[in-house]
Amino acid sequence: MADRPARVISVDVPSGLDGFTARPLGPCFRAEGTITFAALRPAHVLLPGSAYCGAVMVSDIGVPTPTRAMENSPALWAADLPGPGQGDHKHQRGHLKVVSGPMSSTGAARLAARAGLRAGAGLVTVLSPPSALMVNAAHLTAIMLSSVDGAEDILAAAKKASAVVIGPAAGVTPQTRANVSAVLKSPARCVLDADALTVFADDPAALFAMLRPADVLTPHTGEFERLFGGLLSSAHNKIEAVRLAAAKAGCVVLLKGADTVIAAPGGHVVVNTHATRWLATAGSGDVLAGILAGFLAQGVDTLLAAAMAAWMHGEAGRRAGAGLIAEDLEQQLPGIFSALHAGSP
């Protein structure tokens, strides 16, 4: 059949594909579409399996399907999407703070900060080393700027924040490690990305001991392996690996990819496939971290905030289209919010 021009529709999963591991067992059909029953299988949403399935439709056959793993879409969280009330002011929408890297590496923090402001945080401040103040000041308008000189200053600033992003272009240095320890002592919910993860590669347990359930890690595959070495290869599938990682870290873990998997310590999982290959560009992950933190600043539950951010990041990429760069993504958010809030007063 694979050698014939006939159209292929699969039932349950394409023949030759393991529905649980999402891996081909050998030669495998590539279907134009797949009809499955009761609920999605891992192979329908995880690569490489999903590439063989085509468009997937779930048919209800009356079988109860209790599950703690869901495919991401606005149907999961639209009712919780934050927005200002008629009488709200900026201070009621939360204060996001983003830790900047050194003078030569400030752009990533600004990408995250702008995305957080677009996502609805009422105020956003970039926390900058003194040497980088002028560089940051030359590029910021609606976003505020504050000088911080070391971990004690960062802790003082984080104590007055609703949410904090740390890691984008921070540098894999002892100072970054000290800064991460500082923000995790504050009451602010924290998004740890990039260098804030890599700097603990030699001692992940030290990081896990500081994390709280409402914090979130946003690694790509390489960073995930540095913290949770072996989980991706030893687990049956990516969903199981991220679920184990969240339990081990004691916080929400968002593993970025074409099939982004988000897990909470209690075992609930959301899989996001709403994305585009054009998101594979420098700075894209910094924008995702900022959107997520913008929702956290407004008080959204961490797992829901991560699901919202992953879907909107993917939708922004789809709207920006081929040739997008990271700076294009946050500019798409007003149109996305307008569509999702359509009908609201």
Side-chain angles (χ1 to χ4, degrees):
M1 286 182 65
D3 294 333
R4 293 167 63 92
R7 301 171 73 180
V8 176
I9 303 296
S10 290
V11 176
D12 195 20
V13 292
S15 297
L17 181 65
D18 188 314
F20 185 54
T21 66
R23 301 185 187 105
L25 300 172
C28 184
F29 289 129
R30 287 190 179 270
E32 178 180 333
T34 298
I35 301 170
T36 192
F37 308 104
L40 293 169
R41 315 290 190 266
H44 298 135
V45 293
L46 297 179
L47 290 171
S50 60
Y52 291 85
C53 295
V56 180
M57 185 184 79
V58 178
S59 178
D60 181 4
I61 56 173
V63 177
T65 56
T67 179
R68 293 189 298 166
M70 303 290 289
E71 186 177 22
N72 197 17
S73 81
L76 286 182
W77 40 259
D80 297 290
L81 187 66
Q86 293 289 8
D88 284 358
H89 54 76
K90 60 189 178 185
H91 294 284
Q92 292 173 289
R93 303 185 71 191
H95 192 162
L96 168 62
K97 298 191 177 182
V98 181
V99 180
S100 171
M103 181 171 58
S104 60
S105 306
T106 57
R110 290 196 301 274
L111 284 170
R114 285 180 62 88
L117 193 62
R118 289 282 195 192
L123 304 99
V124 179
T125 299
V126 169
L127 304 179
S128 174
S131 62
L133 274 175
M134 290 299 98
V135 177
N136 277 316
H139 292 87
L140 298 176
T141 47
I143 294 165
M144 298 180 290
L145 183 63
S146 180
S147 177
V148 290
D149 191 6
E152 289 188 10
D153 283 358
I154 286 178
L155 174 57
K159 285 180 177 178
K160 298 177 181 178
S162 309
V164 174
V165 175
I166 185 167
V172 184
T173 66
Q175 185 62 62
T176 293
R177 187 162 175 154
N179 292 346
V180 171
S181 299
V183 298
L184 290 174
K185 292 176 184 175
S186 76
R189 291 193 286 171
C190 298
V191 177
L192 276 64
D193 187 41
D195 293 341
L197 307 175
T198 300
V199 77
F200 287 93
D202 63 340
D203 189 10
L207 175 61
F208 301 158
M210 295 185 285
L211 292 165
R212 295 82 49 95
D215 297 321
V216 56
L217 310 182
T218 57
H220 56 54
T221 302
E223 292 157 351
F224 185 91
E225 283 293 278
R226 291 177 200 128
L227 290 180
F228 306 103
L231 275 187
L232 282 174
S233 58
S234 63
H236 288 103
N237 56 49
K238 194 173 179 181
I239 292 172
E240 181 181 272
V242 181
R243 182 178 273 146
L244 291 170
K248 192 170 186 177
C251 71
V252 171
V253 175
L254 183 156
L255 176 54
K256 295 179 284 196
D259 50 357
T260 291
V261 180
I262 309 158
H268 287 91
V269 175
V270 176
V271 182
N272 186 77
T273 59
H274 187 75
T276 169
R277 57 198 171 107
W278 300 107
L279 286 169
T281 186
S284 175
D286 305 320
V287 175
L288 174 62
I291 297 171
L292 201 171
F295 290 139
L296 293 183
Q298 296 171 83
V300 178
D301 169 81
T302 305
L303 182 64
L304 284 182
M308 291 175 186
W311 189 91
M312 290 194 185
H313 185 252
E315 177 66 11
R318 289 181 171 210
R319 293 188 180 207
L324 71 84
I325 60 174
E327 286 93 328
D328 299 329
L329 296 173
E330 52 93 4
Q331 297 177 36
Q332 308 301 318
L333 293 179
I336 297 170
F337 275 109
S338 294
L340 290 170
H341 283 297
S344 299

